[in-house]
Amino acid sequence: MVDVSTEVHQLAELDELTGLAAAAVLDAAGWAGEHRNPAKEWATTWRRADAHAWIQGEGFSALVEFTVWYRDVDEERPDPDTYIDELYDAATAELPGLVAQLEAGVPGDRLQSVDEDLTEGADYIDHTAWRISDKVVLAGVKHTDTDVPVQLVVVVRDGSADAEDGGGEWL
């Protein structure tokens, strides 16, 4: 599993988490930009080893999501429900190691556990979240659709109320 603790620390230290600033952090850390949206000045998808990163959002409210572990869902399995449960269990078993990696890494001493829900309505199978500076860092297991893999992700996003749009959705 790729260690993203240095990138998380650098993203959290940014005054403004913009797509361009996030891209500069990823580029300096050796991530390869893979997809460039012609409407943006930066690559939106990145890869390093078998990990992926996505920069989402516009302006001063970007979100960076790292996928550090994933398993594709095999629809051909004899019992897909059991198989999905096994994938969930496998990803959930990896989560404590990822949490320990982040807590022992560069941002570790600055990660602040809080009692509030920092998922902003996103559906995680299991997760741990912190605040650092004015950012939210979340490590979690997700599976958003049967056509996508089960993933272990680390998300860094602006944690201030100003980052939300009028409908409560993150930009």
Side-chain angles (χ1 to χ4, degrees), residues 16 20 22 28 31 42-43 54 57-58 72 84 98-99 104 108 117-118 125 128 135 154 158-159 168:
E16 295 175 335
L20 196 55
W31 291 74
W42 64 88
W54 287 266
E58 300 290 334
D72 287 317
I84 292 290
L98 177 60
V99 168
D117 178 13
L118 298 176
I125 296 163
T128 300
K135 311 293 186 298
V154 176
D158 191 324

Side-chain angles (χ1 to χ4, degrees), residues 22-102:
V25 167
L26 295 176
D27 189 44
W31 291 74
E34 291 191 324
H35 176 72
R36 297 200 179 272
N37 180 334
K40 299 188 189 271
E41 298 176 46
W42 64 88
T44 53
T45 61
W46 298 76
R47 176 186 281 275
R48 188 173 82 194
D50 61 347
H52 302 273
W54 287 266
I55 301 173
Q56 304 167 23
E58 300 290 334
F60 298 109
S61 186
L63 172 147
V64 180
E65 179 176 294
F66 298 94
T67 299
V68 295
W69 181 102
Y70 64 94
R71 299 294 182 271
D72 287 317
V73 177
D74 184 358
E75 299 282 333
E76 305 300 317
R77 299 285 291 226
D79 185 1
D81 290 335
T82 300
Y83 179 62
I84 292 290
D85 289 342
E86 290 171 4
L87 288 178
Y88 292 169
D89 291 345
T92 302
E94 294 287 333
L95 182 58
L98 177 60
V99 168
Q101 189 179 67
L102 290 169

